[in-house]
Amino acid sequence: MGNQVIISIGREFGSGGHVIAESLAERFRLPLYDSNILEEVASERQVDAKRLRRYDEVPRNILFSRRVNGHSNSAEENIAWLQFEYLKKKAAAGESFVVVGRCAETMLAGTQGLITIFVLGDPEVKKNRIMELHQLSEKEARSMIDRQDRQRKMYHNYYSKVKWGDSRNYDLCINSSRMGIERTADFLESYVRERMRER
């Protein structure tokens, strides 16, 4: 347990947070948990992962969901809690890993070795990155960024008492536009190694 490290990466859409998480997982030789958690959950429940994926990190649809005796009929909410429980089980077993999103900084709070990071970026840089990645116009890219960030914010704020992107909720918030994605990953690697040395 003493050597456990869990790197939680929250991110704005287009900031390169997921790429940074992949890089850190590779550098520290740790498993990366993102939407692939659904593969494990689907296997345990003997359902098709594709059916679950459409509800991944999606806010609960208030119009079509309700709670009865503490149970929700919301697919979005139930799948979110399945993922939270999966991560808690891995953490409780003393496993080390990198996790992207999924309110991990909240759900795993108090876990030994947890390092929480939020990656943001300048609007113009994020827009250009999304235009290039998805072959979109400037207007389409801006719209996609707004939609994805609004969805992430709603999802996070539903399950967490602390607001998405609020610096008080993370050990470190970093703007990847300042140094670029690769050098940001370099900096974060140094930060994580320093935190590990402290223990």
Side-chain angles (χ1 to χ4, degrees):
M1 254 310 185
N3 296 323
Q4 183 180 27
V5 60
I6 298 171
I7 306 170
S8 164
I9 306 281
R11 75 286 184 219
E12 290 182 345
F13 188 73
S15 67
H18 197 283
V19 175
I20 289 168
E22 289 174 334
S23 180
L24 291 175
E26 189 176 320
R27 293 171 192 223
F28 288 99
R29 296 181 179 164
L30 296 174
L32 174 70
Y33 294 132
D34 52 15
S35 59
N36 61 2
I37 296 174
L38 291 175
E39 303 290 338
E40 300 287 335
V41 170
S43 177
E44 287 176 6
R45 303 277 163 165
Q46 298 183 337
V47 295
D48 183 3
K50 288 179 184 174
R51 288 178 58 199
L52 304 183
R53 200 164 286 122
R54 61 190 263 202
Y55 302 110
D56 186 34
E57 281 198 304
V58 176
R60 179 177 66 108
N61 188 324
I62 298 169
L63 294 175
F64 297 104
S65 62
R66 64 189 186 122
R67 290 187 150 274
V68 178
N69 297 326
H71 298 285
S72 173
N73 72 341
S74 164
E76 297 91 346
E77 191 169 356
N78 289 328
I79 287 166
W81 280 107
L82 285 171
Q83 292 185 77
F84 300 154
E85 292 305 320
Y86 178 90
L87 291 170
K88 287 177 181 179
K89 186 169 69 176
K90 293 288 183 184
E95 293 189 29
S96 295
F97 53 87
V98 177
V99 57
V100 179
R102 281 141 196 89
C103 304
E105 82 294 327
T106 300
M107 295 301 158
L108 302 179
T111 303
Q112 182 180 355
L114 177 65
I115 299 170
T116 59
I117 298 164
F118 189 84
V119 182
L120 58 144
D122 292 343
E124 199 66 15
V125 175
K126 292 189 299 180
K127 178 209 68 176
N128 291 338
R129 185 166 185 271
I130 294 304
M131 283 174 67
E132 185 179 339
L133 276 176
H134 298 280
Q135 301 298 301
L136 298 175
S137 69
E138 185 172 330
K139 184 179 179 182
E140 289 169 331
R142 287 189 194 280
S143 176
M144 188 178 195
I145 291 167
D146 289 345
R147 185 174 64 253
Q148 291 292 332
D149 278 348
R150 185 168 56 248
Q151 183 171 295
R152 286 177 183 176
K153 184 177 183 179
M154 288 171 63
Y155 169 87
H156 184 280
N157 293 354
Y158 179 74
Y159 298 106
S160 174
K161 290 179 183 175
V162 184
K163 302 303 181 190
W164 180 76
D166 185 330
S167 62
R168 291 167 292 189
N169 204 27
Y170 308 90
D171 297 324
L172 180 68
C173 292
I174 189 163
N175 186 330
S176 62
S177 302
R178 296 292 176 265
M179 297 188 289
I181 291 171
E182 188 64 28
R183 286 175 60 211
T184 298
D186 292 341
F187 175 83
L188 290 174
E189 179 186 358
S190 298
Y191 175 78
V192 171
R193 291 196 187 282
E194 191 60 36
R195 287 286 303 276
M196 291 168 75
R197 269 195 292 273
E198 285 177 5
R199 305 203 332 266

